[in-house]
Amino acid sequence: MVGLTSEQRQMLMDKLPDAANLALGALVFGQFLGDRPFSLLLGVTGAVGWVVVLAWAFWLGRRGRT
């Protein structure tokens, strides 16, 4: 596995919450814009994906400080 430099890790840590918010918005809030009924599975998937990506960003931040 290729290691990240501290600058690359910082950039990824800064941008991952934006990707998490995009996934949450698309899978949860985007359902209200369509013709289909609300899917609980997609909503839960979006919320879990949001938590996972944010946890990854926090993990990268913690790893960069050690």
Side-chain angles (χ1 to χ4, degrees):
M1 182 173 158
V2 177
L4 297 173
T5 66
S6 62
E7 293 85 14
Q8 290 171 330
R9 192 178 303 116
Q10 180 67 34
M11 177 65 75
L12 190 59
M13 189 177 70
D14 288 341
K15 297 302 175 186
L16 277 176
D18 295 335
N21 290 336
L22 182 64
L24 181 71
L27 292 175
V28 176
F29 301 116
Q31 292 188 56
F32 295 112
L33 301 176
D35 297 340
R36 300 167 127 183
F38 184 80
S39 169
L40 186 60
L41 180 62
L42 278 178
V44 170
T45 302
V48 168
W50 183 72
V51 169
V52 167
V53 174
L54 283 180
W56 185 27
F58 287 132
W59 180 76
L60 281 173
R62 183 191 59 137
R63 185 172 172 216
R65 292 185 185 153
T66 59

